[in-house]
Amino acid sequence: MKKQFRRSYLAWGAGFIAAALLLSGCAGAGTAGGFSGDPISGGTLTYATGDVEPSCLDPIVFGSVAQALVSTQYLESLFYQDEAGDIQPWLAESWKWSDDRLSLDVTLRDDVRFTDGAPLNASTVAANVAYIKDPATLSSTALQAVEKVASVEEVDEQTARIHLSEPDNALLEHFSQVWVPIESQKALARGPQENCLSPVGTGPFKVESWEKQQQIVLVRNKEYNTPSPSAGHAGPAYLDKIVWRFVPDDTARFASLQAGEVDVIDVIQPQDAVSAQSDPTLQTLIGSRPGLVVNLALNTRKAPFDDIKVREAFVRSVDVDSALSSIFLGTVPRSNSVLSSITKYNEQDPDAFATDVKRANRLLDEAGWTQRDSAGYRVKDGNRLSASVIQTSYVLVPVSMMEQFQAAAKVVGFELNISEEEYASFGASRNAWDYNLLPTYYTKNSPAVLNVTHDSSHIDPVTAGGNHSNTTGLKSVVSDELDTTLRTAATTPDDAERGRLYTDAQELIDGQYLNLPLFDQQTRLGLRADVGGVRLISPLSMPTFYDAWLDRS
């Protein structure tokens, strides 16, 4: 399914903003540029990002959305996952599972070279997996994606046999993500530090330079011959160059777009999107991303959310629908599943998260919070019923929404403190479990995202002192059942059983009130009207500029 996203716009922020949102029904369905005519080759496109500047341009290291945004332009994957969720060949020509599904033979294309001249072959795949698994690489997202890969055998020059410790029915999905790209083995041999500065892939562009805190310059790969199955043309990209600027200030970023100083911006704000709607020189492109929705994770490792009754009481006390209606004017659909609406097997359950103040009060009474202090907050054993939510400008839950939750929670006697932090301190607090509520999301093209975010084995960080992908921390008889359900869902060869098990897993997660789902995460772009061919590519809805061109003749 393909749709054109022109003049769509997003409401984001205070309640006085009037806007509307067009959510993509498919993960990579948008294309910008409504004008006709043949694409024009040449020119430089300037992109201004409001996302945090990555500390490394190689998405194998760590693995963030900021890295995915830029590396989609120069790195490619073994497989391509289309908008229906089906896997197609990309750098791989074909693949075949063993009968026991403990090994996967991947036959590679024999006509591919990296931009440093290195050939694509079986040793390339082996080198990439080894690089991901090397602790010195500091991989996180990619490491979790290949955690079941035991080894890679070079069957012949163009065939790699991937051996698994146990079956993994999400493996092809994992190897279609930009966080698990295929990079030049020659470049990887330089080590993580040098590779972070200029990763080498097979994509339509290559990294020419990186001036930190300023910009990245990408130039056209003149030998490019591996367009994705959904690409609009063959051969090299139309653009000569992309200048990728870091402009964190929302106002400055949009002003640059209006003035024609930049051609594309991301993280477009609502007032800016409204302005773009009435400006014939501008357009917008917005689409949902797959994975774990934007949500509030409840930390069960410490009070007060170590008590399931208190967790449910908090969820029942706040009114997400009213907050969305007033802040987003009803234009952002409520999510009632931890899985994005475009993620396979997502199970929407409105009853699980419906506001019920009477029930919230009853649950808190049952939990022993029967007294109130002079400010109206509940107390027990001399302690106030209080929780803190950490917040930073780079998370997707606006402070105005948290303030509405704060007011609603107070009605039932729950004190909610909002701690606004810089990005670095937010990350440190997150890693140290120093929060009660955490705004979070996780972009992943598979229901197996739940294996990453809710299996208890991921309570501990991948690297010492680093990020833990499980942000709720539940350890109980129920978490044991959830682990078993998720692990069986990840290994079964039966697709129907896989779907049933992921449905069961969502019911267990919902029943424990581990997360309060809010809305789908999104990619949101503002563009000059003379920019054509920009698309949001499956499976992660990242922008691709391979087909992009500038109509400035």
Side-chain angles (χ1 to χ4, degrees), residues 173-466:
E173 296 167 344
H174 293 157
F175 274 101
S176 65
Q177 299 178 111
V178 73
W179 291 300
V180 192
I182 299 299
E183 301 183 25
S184 161
Q185 63 269 46
K186 178 182 174 182
L188 292 178
R190 301 174 299 176
Q193 185 172 358
E194 186 173 351
N195 207 62
C196 273
L197 298 175
S198 58
V200 177
T202 58
F205 297 93
K206 56 185 178 180
V207 179
E208 181 180 71
S209 63
W210 179 17
E211 184 181 353
K212 294 186 178 181
Q213 300 182 358
Q214 295 294 325
Q215 63 185 29
I216 305 164
V217 176
L218 309 177
V219 296
R220 177 167 53 189
N221 173 9
K222 296 179 181 179
E223 307 301 322
Y224 184 67
N225 68 339
T226 56
S228 74
S230 67
H233 78 289
Y238 298 122
L239 296 170
D240 290 327
K241 184 182 296 186
I242 301 173
V243 177
W244 197 277
R245 293 183 182 170
F246 302 104
V247 185
D249 183 84
D250 297 329
T251 301
R253 196 168 59 255
F254 185 65
S256 295
L257 182 68
Q258 287 179 306
E261 297 169 352
V262 302
D263 301 299
V264 183
I265 66 170
D266 60 22
V267 197
I268 188 167
Q269 299 298 300
Q271 64 272 25
D272 301 333
V274 171
S275 295
Q277 183 194 20
S278 59
D279 188 337
T281 68
L282 302 178
Q283 56 179 319
T284 61
L285 179 62
I286 299 172
S288 290
R289 296 173 184 163
L292 193 73
V293 298
V294 178
N295 72 94
L296 292 179
L298 283 69
N299 181 1
T300 68
R301 289 162 58 102
K302 61 180 183 179
F305 293 138
D306 54 347
D307 186 334
I308 187 174
K309 290 184 177 180
V310 177
R311 296 198 297 272
E312 182 181 355
F314 176 80
V315 169
R316 298 294 188 185
S317 70
V318 301
D319 191 339
V320 177
D321 293 295
S322 291
L324 289 174
S325 179
S326 62
I327 295 171
F328 300 102
L329 299 180
T331 61
V332 177
R334 164 83 182 271
S335 175
N336 286 293
S337 169
V338 290
L339 291 180
S340 161
S341 63
I342 61 169
T343 302
K344 199 171 185 179
Y345 310 129
N346 78 87
E347 187 74 13
Q348 303 291 327
D349 188 359
D351 291 340
F353 308 105
T355 303
D356 189 337
V357 173
K358 288 183 179 179
R359 180 170 176 79
N361 279 311
R362 184 170 66 252
L363 287 165
L364 292 177
D365 287 342
E366 293 173 0
W369 296 93
T370 55
Q371 304 298 315
R372 294 197 186 221
D373 62 18
S374 59
Y377 296 111
R378 291 180 181 255
V379 293
K380 182 171 70 172
D381 300 329
N383 298 312
R384 176 180 283 184
L385 179 58
S386 180
S388 295
V389 56
I390 58 175
Q391 186 82 338
T392 186
S393 60
Y394 291 104
V395 301
L396 300 179
V397 183
V399 172
S400 54
M401 176 172 278
M402 295 311 309
E403 289 172 342
Q404 289 209 18
F405 290 172
Q406 185 181 55
K410 185 176 182 180
V411 172
V412 302
F414 210 120
E415 180 184 47
L416 178 61
N417 297 309
I418 304 170
S419 177
E420 295 187 58
E421 303 182 16
E422 295 296 324
Y423 182 74
S425 63
F426 176 87
S429 296
R430 182 196 188 286
N431 292 351
W433 291 90
D434 188 17
Y435 60 86
N436 299 116
L437 289 157
L438 178 75
T440 187
Y441 64 94
Y442 198 106
T443 309
K444 188 178 178 67
N445 57 318
S446 170
V449 66
L450 298 180
N451 295 79
V452 177
T453 59
H454 286 83
D455 191 298
S456 65
S457 66
H458 292 144
I459 291 173
D460 295 325
V462 174
T463 58

Side-chain angles (χ1 to χ4, degrees), residues 68-144:
L69 284 166
V70 65
S71 62
T72 294
Q73 317 314 318
Y74 49 82
L75 298 177
E76 295 175 330
S77 306
L78 285 176
F79 308 112
Y80 177 82
Q81 186 180 25
D82 65 22
E83 293 157 5
D86 297 328
I87 300 297
Q88 299 182 37
W90 196 352
L91 297 182
E93 186 176 83
S94 62
W95 63 90
K96 183 179 181 181
W97 285 102
S98 62
D99 290 341
D100 59 8
R101 298 182 69 82
L102 287 175
S103 66
L104 176 72
D105 282 3
V106 180
T107 301
L108 304 167
R109 290 177 52 165
D110 61 5
D111 62 343
V112 179
R113 288 191 173 271
F114 294 90
T115 55
D116 63 359
L120 172 68
N121 51 38
S123 67
T124 310
V125 178
N128 274 262
V129 171
Y131 188 76
I132 292 170
K133 287 182 166 289
D134 185 347
T137 303
L138 300 178
S139 182
S140 176
T141 304
L143 183 61
Q144 290 174 326

Side-chain angles (χ1 to χ4, degrees), residues 515-538:
N515 305 80
L516 175 59
L518 301 175
F519 50 87
D520 282 0
Q521 46 177 304
Q522 298 141 352
T523 297
R524 308 184 309 278
L525 304 182
L527 310 91
R528 299 290 301 179
D530 57 3
V531 178
V534 179
R535 296 185 300 111
L536 301 182
I537 190 172
S538 291

